[in-house]
Amino acid sequence: MKKVLGLIFVALLALAGCGQTNTATTESSSSASSVDSSSQASQVKEEIKETTKVLVGKVEDSDARITVVYTDVVKQFTIELMRNFGDEIPAEVSAEEMQALLREQLATNTEYLEIKDEPGVSVKYFVTEDKNWKAILSLNFEKADVDKIKNTYYLKDILEDVEDFKKPNILIAGLKVEGFKEESTTSAV
């Protein structure tokens, strides 16, 4: 991380140096050069694009889809897990009945209640029409109090290496090492 910050600082210094072509100029010329340097530095800042990467793979017995939205740090991290209940649900029990049972269980689940109303954190569970279990956990790092939530039941494994979320390329590379494949990439300014 220090190397990245160092490179950004060096790039800004180089841009500032390019903006000042003549060191023996008048004071008004020097301030105009300073304004040019400031505008060049803000252009560099504007060039940091927001990128979205979607990776698919497996987490234990569940299919997983991870979406990472980032600039120089991760802004949003979402993991969707889907798992077939298999023979665990009797044929006569509908998906709606299973969803109602799931809501009932969550209403008293202390681990779920611990993060349910946390800003920047969203945990949702569903039972699909074909009786698959689906969970979506989403973290908005611009709103979440990471220090407060990093030791909760739902997030302790994800945020175990919280520093990786400050280095999105390392996070994504780590997911790829774990067998995740990139689905698509989009960028926006």
mmCIF file of all heavy atoms in Angstrom, residues 84-128:
data_model
loop_
_atom_site.group_PDB
_atom_site.id
_atom_site.type_symbol
_atom_site.label_atom_id
_atom_site.label_comp_id
_atom_site.label_asym_id
_atom_site.label_seq_id
_atom_site.Cartn_x
_atom_site.Cartn_y
_atom_site.Cartn_z
ATOM 1 N N ASN A 84 -28.640 -25.779 -3.385
ATOM 2 C CA ASN A 84 -29.806 -26.630 -3.510
ATOM 3 C C ASN A 84 -30.056 -27.303 -2.166
ATOM 4 O O ASN A 84 -29.142 -27.869 -1.571
ATOM 5 C CB ASN A 84 -29.548 -27.676 -4.604
ATOM 6 C CG ASN A 84 -30.778 -28.503 -4.922
ATOM 7 O OD1 ASN A 84 -31.628 -28.730 -4.061
ATOM 8 N ND2 ASN A 84 -30.869 -28.948 -6.146
ATOM 9 N N PHE A 85 -31.286 -27.225 -1.678
ATOM 10 C CA PHE A 85 -31.631 -27.875 -0.416
ATOM 11 C C PHE A 85 -31.630 -29.393 -0.556
ATOM 12 O O PHE A 85 -31.579 -30.112 0.419
ATOM 13 C CB PHE A 85 -33.017 -27.430 0.076
ATOM 14 C CG PHE A 85 -32.991 -26.144 0.846
ATOM 15 C CD1 PHE A 85 -33.718 -25.056 0.401
ATOM 16 C CD2 PHE A 85 -32.281 -26.016 2.011
ATOM 17 C CE1 PHE A 85 -33.732 -23.871 1.111
ATOM 18 C CE2 PHE A 85 -32.285 -24.832 2.733
ATOM 19 C CZ PHE A 85 -33.008 -23.758 2.275
ATOM 20 N N GLY A 86 -31.730 -29.858 -1.799
ATOM 21 C CA GLY A 86 -31.753 -31.302 -2.037
ATOM 22 C C GLY A 86 -33.010 -31.922 -1.450
ATOM 23 O O GLY A 86 -34.120 -31.415 -1.618
ATOM 24 N N ASP A 87 -32.839 -33.008 -0.741
ATOM 25 C CA ASP A 87 -33.979 -33.735 -0.160
ATOM 26 C C ASP A 87 -34.376 -33.186 1.210
ATOM 27 O O ASP A 87 -35.230 -33.753 1.885
ATOM 28 C CB ASP A 87 -33.640 -35.224 -0.030
ATOM 29 C CG ASP A 87 -33.408 -35.864 -1.383
ATOM 30 O OD1 ASP A 87 -33.994 -35.384 -2.372
ATOM 31 O OD2 ASP A 87 -32.631 -36.841 -1.452
ATOM 32 N N GLU A 88 -33.771 -32.068 1.616
ATOM 33 C CA GLU A 88 -34.058 -31.509 2.929
ATOM 34 C C GLU A 88 -35.476 -30.935 3.026
ATOM 35 O O GLU A 88 -36.028 -30.825 4.104
ATOM 36 C CB GLU A 88 -33.048 -30.412 3.273
ATOM 37 C CG GLU A 88 -31.627 -30.932 3.395
ATOM 38 C CD GLU A 88 -30.625 -29.822 3.611
ATOM 39 O OE1 GLU A 88 -30.932 -28.862 4.342
ATOM 40 O OE2 GLU A 88 -29.535 -29.920 3.028
ATOM 41 N N ILE A 89 -36.071 -30.552 1.894
ATOM 42 C CA ILE A 89 -37.425 -29.990 1.892
ATOM 43 C C ILE A 89 -38.377 -31.021 1.301
ATOM 44 O O ILE A 89 -38.231 -31.430 0.153
ATOM 45 C CB ILE A 89 -37.499 -28.703 1.042
ATOM 46 C CG1 ILE A 89 -36.513 -27.666 1.557
ATOM 47 C CG2 ILE A 89 -38.926 -28.147 1.043
ATOM 48 C CD1 ILE A 89 -36.453 -26.421 0.720
ATOM 49 N N PRO A 90 -39.373 -31.420 2.075
ATOM 50 C CA PRO A 90 -40.377 -32.352 1.545
ATOM 51 C C PRO A 90 -41.128 -31.722 0.361
ATOM 52 O O PRO A 90 -41.331 -30.504 0.319
ATOM 53 C CB PRO A 90 -41.320 -32.593 2.723
ATOM 54 C CG PRO A 90 -40.564 -32.144 3.929
ATOM 55 C CD PRO A 90 -39.599 -31.105 3.469
ATOM 56 N N ALA A 91 -41.519 -32.527 -0.581
ATOM 57 C CA ALA A 91 -42.194 -32.054 -1.794
ATOM 58 C C ALA A 91 -43.468 -31.283 -1.478
ATOM 59 O O ALA A 91 -43.824 -30.348 -2.207
ATOM 60 C CB ALA A 91 -42.496 -33.236 -2.720
ATOM 61 N N GLU A 92 -44.173 -31.637 -0.402
ATOM 62 C CA GLU A 92 -45.443 -30.966 -0.082
ATOM 63 C C GLU A 92 -45.258 -29.581 0.542
ATOM 64 O O GLU A 92 -46.224 -28.835 0.706
ATOM 65 C CB GLU A 92 -46.320 -31.850 0.820
ATOM 66 C CG GLU A 92 -45.726 -32.229 2.146
ATOM 67 C CD GLU A 92 -44.865 -33.491 2.113
ATOM 68 O OE1 GLU A 92 -44.671 -34.087 1.044
ATOM 69 O OE2 GLU A 92 -44.380 -33.861 3.176
ATOM 70 N N VAL A 93 -44.047 -29.198 0.879
ATOM 71 C CA VAL A 93 -43.779 -27.871 1.446
ATOM 72 C C VAL A 93 -43.423 -26.915 0.303
ATOM 73 O O VAL A 93 -42.514 -27.175 -0.479
ATOM 74 C CB VAL A 93 -42.624 -27.923 2.479
ATOM 75 C CG1 VAL A 93 -42.312 -26.539 3.006
ATOM 76 C CG2 VAL A 93 -42.973 -28.870 3.616
ATOM 77 N N SER A 94 -44.156 -25.802 0.211
ATOM 78 C CA SER A 94 -43.932 -24.845 -0.873
ATOM 79 C C SER A 94 -42.752 -23.921 -0.572
ATOM 80 O O SER A 94 -42.316 -23.799 0.576
ATOM 81 C CB SER A 94 -45.194 -24.005 -1.100
ATOM 82 O OG SER A 94 -45.375 -23.113 -0.021
ATOM 83 N N ALA A 95 -42.276 -23.243 -1.596
ATOM 84 C CA ALA A 95 -41.192 -22.269 -1.435
ATOM 85 C C ALA A 95 -41.642 -21.137 -0.516
ATOM 86 O O ALA A 95 -40.846 -20.641 0.297
ATOM 87 C CB ALA A 95 -40.769 -21.729 -2.796
ATOM 88 N N GLU A 96 -42.907 -20.721 -0.622
ATOM 89 C CA GLU A 96 -43.434 -19.654 0.236
ATOM 90 C C GLU A 96 -43.432 -20.078 1.705
ATOM 91 O O GLU A 96 -43.103 -19.281 2.594
ATOM 92 C CB GLU A 96 -44.857 -19.251 -0.185
ATOM 93 C CG GLU A 96 -44.948 -18.583 -1.540
ATOM 94 C CD GLU A 96 -44.934 -19.577 -2.708
ATOM 95 O OE1 GLU A 96 -45.250 -20.787 -2.511
ATOM 96 O OE2 GLU A 96 -44.574 -19.160 -3.811
ATOM 97 N N GLU A 97 -43.792 -21.326 1.969
ATOM 98 C CA GLU A 97 -43.772 -21.824 3.343
ATOM 99 C C GLU A 97 -42.340 -21.869 3.891
ATOM 100 O O GLU A 97 -42.101 -21.511 5.045
ATOM 101 C CB GLU A 97 -44.406 -23.218 3.411
ATOM 102 C CG GLU A 97 -45.907 -23.208 3.180
ATOM 103 C CD GLU A 97 -46.475 -24.610 3.044
ATOM 104 O OE1 GLU A 97 -45.916 -25.408 2.263
ATOM 105 O OE2 GLU A 97 -47.490 -24.892 3.724
ATOM 106 N N MET A 98 -41.414 -22.272 3.043
ATOM 107 C CA MET A 98 -40.009 -22.295 3.466
ATOM 108 C C MET A 98 -39.493 -20.881 3.744
ATOM 109 O O MET A 98 -38.770 -20.660 4.703
ATOM 110 C CB MET A 98 -39.132 -22.958 2.401
ATOM 111 C CG MET A 98 -39.191 -24.469 2.398
ATOM 112 S SD MET A 98 -38.751 -25.202 3.986
ATOM 113 C CE MET A 98 -37.080 -24.642 4.216
ATOM 114 N N GLN A 99 -39.911 -19.933 2.894
ATOM 115 C CA GLN A 99 -39.504 -18.530 3.089
ATOM 116 C C GLN A 99 -40.049 -18.011 4.423
ATOM 117 O O GLN A 99 -39.335 -17.328 5.160
ATOM 118 C CB GLN A 99 -39.991 -17.663 1.929
ATOM 119 C CG GLN A 99 -39.542 -16.225 1.979
ATOM 120 C CD GLN A 99 -38.052 -16.051 1.740
ATOM 121 O OE1 GLN A 99 -37.463 -16.725 0.905
ATOM 122 N NE2 GLN A 99 -37.441 -15.159 2.473
ATOM 123 N N ALA A 100 -41.288 -18.347 4.736
ATOM 124 C CA ALA A 100 -41.892 -17.923 6.004
ATOM 125 C C ALA A 100 -41.135 -18.529 7.191
ATOM 126 O O ALA A 100 -40.866 -17.838 8.189
ATOM 127 C CB ALA A 100 -43.371 -18.320 6.048
ATOM 128 N N LEU A 101 -40.765 -19.807 7.099
ATOM 129 C CA LEU A 101 -39.990 -20.448 8.164
ATOM 130 C C LEU A 101 -38.617 -19.786 8.311
ATOM 131 O O LEU A 101 -38.137 -19.584 9.433
ATOM 132 C CB LEU A 101 -39.811 -21.944 7.866
ATOM 133 C CG LEU A 101 -41.046 -22.822 8.040
ATOM 134 C CD1 LEU A 101 -40.785 -24.225 7.495
ATOM 135 C CD2 LEU A 101 -41.428 -22.891 9.516
ATOM 136 N N LEU A 102 -38.022 -19.446 7.200
ATOM 137 C CA LEU A 102 -36.718 -18.791 7.219
ATOM 138 C C LEU A 102 -36.807 -17.428 7.913
ATOM 139 O O LEU A 102 -35.990 -17.097 8.769
ATOM 140 C CB LEU A 102 -36.197 -18.640 5.792
ATOM 141 C CG LEU A 102 -34.795 -18.108 5.603
ATOM 142 C CD1 LEU A 102 -33.766 -18.968 6.310
ATOM 143 C CD2 LEU A 102 -34.464 -18.020 4.125
ATOM 144 N N ARG A 103 -37.822 -16.639 7.560
ATOM 145 C CA ARG A 103 -38.019 -15.332 8.217
ATOM 146 C C ARG A 103 -38.222 -15.493 9.719
ATOM 147 O O ARG A 103 -37.714 -14.705 10.523
ATOM 148 C CB ARG A 103 -39.219 -14.615 7.600
ATOM 149 C CG ARG A 103 -38.898 -13.937 6.310
ATOM 150 C CD ARG A 103 -40.009 -12.970 5.900
ATOM 151 N NE ARG A 103 -39.912 -12.767 4.480
ATOM 152 C CZ ARG A 103 -40.791 -13.184 3.585
ATOM 153 N NH1 ARG A 103 -41.892 -13.795 3.951
ATOM 154 N NH2 ARG A 103 -40.600 -12.967 2.302
ATOM 155 N N GLU A 104 -38.990 -16.509 10.081
ATOM 156 C CA GLU A 104 -39.260 -16.787 11.493
ATOM 157 C C GLU A 104 -37.957 -17.110 12.238
ATOM 158 O O GLU A 104 -37.724 -16.625 13.348
ATOM 159 C CB GLU A 104 -40.228 -17.983 11.578
ATOM 160 C CG GLU A 104 -40.880 -18.193 12.904
ATOM 161 C CD GLU A 104 -41.879 -19.335 12.812
ATOM 162 O OE1 GLU A 104 -42.873 -19.205 12.062
ATOM 163 O OE2 GLU A 104 -41.640 -20.359 13.487
ATOM 164 N N GLN A 105 -37.108 -17.918 11.627
ATOM 165 C CA GLN A 105 -35.819 -18.262 12.228
ATOM 166 C C GLN A 105 -34.917 -17.034 12.366
ATOM 167 O O GLN A 105 -34.256 -16.852 13.371
ATOM 168 C CB GLN A 105 -35.105 -19.333 11.385
ATOM 169 C CG GLN A 105 -35.735 -20.696 11.452
ATOM 170 C CD GLN A 105 -35.612 -21.300 12.840
ATOM 171 O OE1 GLN A 105 -34.563 -21.208 13.476
ATOM 172 N NE2 GLN A 105 -36.690 -21.897 13.320
ATOM 173 N N LEU A 106 -34.896 -16.192 11.328
ATOM 174 C CA LEU A 106 -34.048 -15.004 11.356
ATOM 175 C C LEU A 106 -34.493 -13.994 12.412
ATOM 176 O O LEU A 106 -33.668 -13.283 12.977
ATOM 177 C CB LEU A 106 -34.021 -14.333 9.979
ATOM 178 C CG LEU A 106 -33.258 -15.085 8.896
ATOM 179 C CD1 LEU A 106 -33.411 -14.388 7.547
ATOM 180 C CD2 LEU A 106 -31.792 -15.237 9.262
ATOM 181 N N ALA A 107 -35.772 -13.947 12.686
ATOM 182 C CA ALA A 107 -36.307 -12.993 13.661
ATOM 183 C C ALA A 107 -35.737 -13.218 15.058
ATOM 184 O O ALA A 107 -35.712 -12.293 15.873
ATOM 185 C CB ALA A 107 -37.831 -13.060 13.692
ATOM 186 N N THR A 108 -35.260 -14.429 15.338
ATOM 187 C CA THR A 108 -34.708 -14.727 16.657
ATOM 188 C C THR A 108 -33.226 -15.099 16.615
ATOM 189 O O THR A 108 -32.653 -15.425 17.646
ATOM 190 C CB THR A 108 -35.498 -15.885 17.315
ATOM 191 O OG1 THR A 108 -35.400 -17.035 16.468
ATOM 192 C CG2 THR A 108 -36.959 -15.497 17.530
ATOM 193 N N ASN A 109 -32.613 -15.046 15.452
ATOM 194 C CA ASN A 109 -31.212 -15.416 15.302
ATOM 195 C C ASN A 109 -30.321 -14.257 15.751
ATOM 196 O O ASN A 109 -30.300 -13.195 15.131
ATOM 197 C CB ASN A 109 -30.942 -15.782 13.834
ATOM 198 C CG ASN A 109 -29.526 -16.202 13.597
ATOM 199 O OD1 ASN A 109 -28.609 -15.407 13.730
ATOM 200 N ND2 ASN A 109 -29.353 -17.462 13.240
ATOM 201 N N THR A 110 -29.595 -14.454 16.849
ATOM 202 C CA THR A 110 -28.796 -13.364 17.424
ATOM 203 C C THR A 110 -27.682 -12.889 16.492
ATOM 204 O O THR A 110 -27.382 -11.695 16.453
ATOM 205 C CB THR A 110 -28.177 -13.778 18.778
ATOM 206 O OG1 THR A 110 -27.419 -14.972 18.601
ATOM 207 C CG2 THR A 110 -29.253 -13.985 19.819
ATOM 208 N N GLU A 111 -27.071 -13.792 15.730
ATOM 209 C CA GLU A 111 -26.014 -13.389 14.795
ATOM 210 C C GLU A 111 -26.570 -12.489 13.698
ATOM 211 O O GLU A 111 -25.953 -11.504 13.311
ATOM 212 C CB GLU A 111 -25.326 -14.607 14.161
ATOM 213 C CG GLU A 111 -24.457 -15.395 15.109
ATOM 214 C CD GLU A 111 -25.205 -16.513 15.813
ATOM 215 O OE1 GLU A 111 -26.415 -16.732 15.539
ATOM 216 O OE2 GLU A 111 -24.587 -17.174 16.662
ATOM 217 N N TYR A 112 -27.761 -12.825 13.207
ATOM 218 C CA TYR A 112 -28.399 -12.009 12.174
ATOM 219 C C TYR A 112 -28.828 -10.655 12.754
ATOM 220 O O TYR A 112 -28.603 -9.614 12.154
ATOM 221 C CB TYR A 112 -29.604 -12.750 11.590
ATOM 222 C CG TYR A 112 -30.400 -11.934 10.601
ATOM 223 C CD1 TYR A 112 -29.921 -11.717 9.320
ATOM 224 C CD2 TYR A 112 -31.623 -11.380 10.962
ATOM 225 C CE1 TYR A 112 -30.635 -10.965 8.407
ATOM 226 C CE2 TYR A 112 -32.341 -10.624 10.054
ATOM 227 C CZ TYR A 112 -31.855 -10.424 8.784
ATOM 228 O OH TYR A 112 -32.554 -9.665 7.886
ATOM 229 N N LEU A 113 -29.426 -10.675 13.923
ATOM 230 C CA LEU A 113 -29.894 -9.439 14.552
ATOM 231 C C LEU A 113 -28.739 -8.494 14.881
ATOM 232 O O LEU A 113 -28.916 -7.276 14.888
ATOM 233 C CB LEU A 113 -30.693 -9.761 15.822
ATOM 234 C CG LEU A 113 -32.007 -10.530 15.584
ATOM 235 C CD1 LEU A 113 -32.624 -10.941 16.912
ATOM 236 C CD2 LEU A 113 -32.979 -9.714 14.761
ATOM 237 N N GLU A 114 -27.557 -9.056 15.106
ATOM 238 C CA GLU A 114 -26.374 -8.267 15.433
ATOM 239 C C GLU A 114 -25.983 -7.302 14.303
ATOM 240 O O GLU A 114 -25.492 -6.205 14.559
ATOM 241 C CB GLU A 114 -25.213 -9.229 15.719
ATOM 242 C CG GLU A 114 -23.921 -8.598 16.096
ATOM 243 C CD GLU A 114 -22.837 -9.634 16.371
ATOM 244 O OE1 GLU A 114 -22.872 -10.754 15.816
ATOM 245 O OE2 GLU A 114 -21.940 -9.301 17.163
ATOM 246 N N ILE A 115 -26.233 -7.683 13.046
ATOM 247 C CA ILE A 115 -25.827 -6.826 11.918
ATOM 248 C C ILE A 115 -26.982 -6.344 11.058
ATOM 249 O O ILE A 115 -26.793 -5.535 10.156
ATOM 250 C CB ILE A 115 -24.801 -7.536 11.019
ATOM 251 C CG1 ILE A 115 -25.407 -8.795 10.421
ATOM 252 C CG2 ILE A 115 -23.517 -7.791 11.734
ATOM 253 C CD1 ILE A 115 -24.657 -9.295 9.233
ATOM 254 N N LYS A 116 -28.170 -6.815 11.339
ATOM 255 C CA LYS A 116 -29.352 -6.517 10.510
ATOM 256 C C LYS A 116 -29.544 -5.029 10.235
ATOM 257 O O LYS A 116 -29.835 -4.640 9.112
ATOM 258 C CB LYS A 116 -30.588 -7.106 11.197
ATOM 259 C CG LYS A 116 -31.905 -6.800 10.557
ATOM 260 C CD LYS A 116 -33.003 -7.532 11.277
ATOM 261 C CE LYS A 116 -33.908 -6.768 12.117
ATOM 262 N NZ LYS A 116 -34.583 -5.630 11.819
ATOM 263 N N ASP A 117 -29.335 -4.185 11.222
ATOM 264 C CA ASP A 117 -29.573 -2.752 11.069
ATOM 265 C C ASP A 117 -28.297 -1.918 10.972
ATOM 266 O O ASP A 117 -28.351 -0.698 11.098
ATOM 267 C CB ASP A 117 -30.429 -2.247 12.248
ATOM 268 C CG ASP A 117 -31.821 -2.877 12.245
ATOM 269 O OD1 ASP A 117 -32.377 -3.087 11.151
ATOM 270 O OD2 ASP A 117 -32.339 -3.172 13.338
ATOM 271 N N GLU A 118 -27.180 -2.567 10.751
ATOM 272 C CA GLU A 118 -25.911 -1.842 10.624
ATOM 273 C C GLU A 118 -25.876 -1.069 9.307
ATOM 274 O O GLU A 118 -26.165 -1.632 8.247
ATOM 275 C CB GLU A 118 -24.717 -2.795 10.669
ATOM 276 C CG GLU A 118 -24.352 -3.268 12.044
ATOM 277 C CD GLU A 118 -23.867 -2.154 12.955
ATOM 278 O OE1 GLU A 118 -23.181 -1.225 12.493
ATOM 279 O OE2 GLU A 118 -24.195 -2.214 14.141
ATOM 280 N N PRO A 119 -25.507 0.204 9.331
ATOM 281 C CA PRO A 119 -25.373 0.980 8.089
ATOM 282 C C PRO A 119 -24.294 0.358 7.190
ATOM 283 O O PRO A 119 -23.247 -0.067 7.663
ATOM 284 C CB PRO A 119 -24.927 2.369 8.564
ATOM 285 C CG PRO A 119 -25.244 2.409 10.021
ATOM 286 C CD PRO A 119 -25.214 1.004 10.518
ATOM 287 N N GLY A 120 -24.593 0.274 5.907
ATOM 288 C CA GLY A 120 -23.639 -0.249 4.941
ATOM 289 C C GLY A 120 -23.581 -1.761 4.852
ATOM 290 O O GLY A 120 -22.798 -2.305 4.088
ATOM 291 N N VAL A 121 -24.409 -2.459 5.647
ATOM 292 C CA VAL A 121 -24.418 -3.921 5.649
ATOM 293 C C VAL A 121 -25.821 -4.404 5.307
ATOM 294 O O VAL A 121 -26.805 -3.924 5.859
ATOM 295 C CB VAL A 121 -24.016 -4.496 7.026
ATOM 296 C CG1 VAL A 121 -24.050 -6.020 7.015
ATOM 297 C CG2 VAL A 121 -22.663 -3.984 7.450
ATOM 298 N N SER A 122 -25.886 -5.353 4.390
ATOM 299 C CA SER A 122 -27.170 -5.938 4.031
ATOM 300 C C SER A 122 -27.011 -7.450 3.922
ATOM 301 O O SER A 122 -26.109 -7.939 3.243
ATOM 302 C CB SER A 122 -27.636 -5.371 2.681
ATOM 303 O OG SER A 122 -28.776 -6.052 2.224
ATOM 304 N N VAL A 123 -27.879 -8.183 4.631
ATOM 305 C CA VAL A 123 -27.897 -9.641 4.559
ATOM 306 C C VAL A 123 -29.332 -10.048 4.269
ATOM 307 O O VAL A 123 -30.246 -9.700 5.011
ATOM 308 C CB VAL A 123 -27.426 -10.295 5.879
ATOM 309 C CG1 VAL A 123 -27.496 -11.814 5.778
ATOM 310 C CG2 VAL A 123 -26.028 -9.852 6.239
ATOM 311 N N LYS A 124 -29.507 -10.768 3.163
ATOM 312 C CA LYS A 124 -30.846 -11.207 2.769
ATOM 313 C C LYS A 124 -30.818 -12.692 2.458
ATOM 314 O O LYS A 124 -29.866 -13.188 1.864
ATOM 315 C CB LYS A 124 -31.320 -10.434 1.539
ATOM 316 C CG LYS A 124 -31.463 -8.953 1.784
ATOM 317 C CD LYS A 124 -31.854 -8.232 0.526
ATOM 318 C CE LYS A 124 -31.910 -6.739 0.798
ATOM 319 N NZ LYS A 124 -32.097 -5.964 -0.403
ATOM 320 N N TYR A 125 -31.882 -13.378 2.864
ATOM 321 C CA TYR A 125 -32.038 -14.796 2.577
ATOM 322 C C TYR A 125 -33.319 -15.005 1.801
ATOM 323 O O TYR A 125 -34.331 -14.350 2.068
ATOM 324 C CB TYR A 125 -32.127 -15.603 3.881
ATOM 325 C CG TYR A 125 -30.829 -15.723 4.617
ATOM 326 C CD1 TYR A 125 -30.524 -14.869 5.659
ATOM 327 C CD2 TYR A 125 -29.918 -16.706 4.270
ATOM 328 C CE1 TYR A 125 -29.330 -14.990 6.357
ATOM 329 C CE2 TYR A 125 -28.717 -16.835 4.954
ATOM 330 C CZ TYR A 125 -28.437 -15.974 5.997
ATOM 331 O OH TYR A 125 -27.262 -16.096 6.675
ATOM 332 N N PHE A 126 -33.271 -15.938 0.858
ATOM 333 C CA PHE A 126 -34.442 -16.246 0.039
ATOM 334 C C PHE A 126 -34.547 -17.745 -0.167
ATOM 335 O O PHE A 126 -33.550 -18.456 -0.116
ATOM 336 C CB PHE A 126 -34.316 -15.628 -1.364
ATOM 337 C CG PHE A 126 -34.048 -14.154 -1.366
ATOM 338 C CD1 PHE A 126 -32.750 -13.673 -1.442
ATOM 339 C CD2 PHE A 126 -35.089 -13.246 -1.302
ATOM 340 C CE1 PHE A 126 -32.490 -12.322 -1.448
ATOM 341 C CE2 PHE A 126 -34.828 -11.892 -1.306
ATOM 342 C CZ PHE A 126 -33.531 -11.424 -1.379
ATOM 343 N N VAL A 127 -35.753 -18.182 -0.440
ATOM 344 C CA VAL A 127 -35.977 -19.523 -0.955
ATOM 345 C C VAL A 127 -36.587 -19.310 -2.330
ATOM 346 O O VAL A 127 -37.631 -18.667 -2.465
ATOM 347 C CB VAL A 127 -36.926 -20.349 -0.054
ATOM 348 C CG1 VAL A 127 -37.190 -21.716 -0.669
ATOM 349 C CG2 VAL A 127 -36.340 -20.488 1.341
ATOM 350 N N THR A 128 -35.921 -19.812 -3.356
ATOM 351 C CA THR A 128 -36.379 -19.601 -4.736
ATOM 352 C C THR A 128 -37.543 -20.536 -5.049
ATOM 353 O O THR A 128 -37.829 -21.474 -4.294
ATOM 354 C CB THR A 128 -35.234 -19.840 -5.735
ATOM 355 O OG1 THR A 128 -34.827 -21.205 -5.645
ATOM 356 C CG2 THR A 128 -34.054 -18.922 -5.448
#
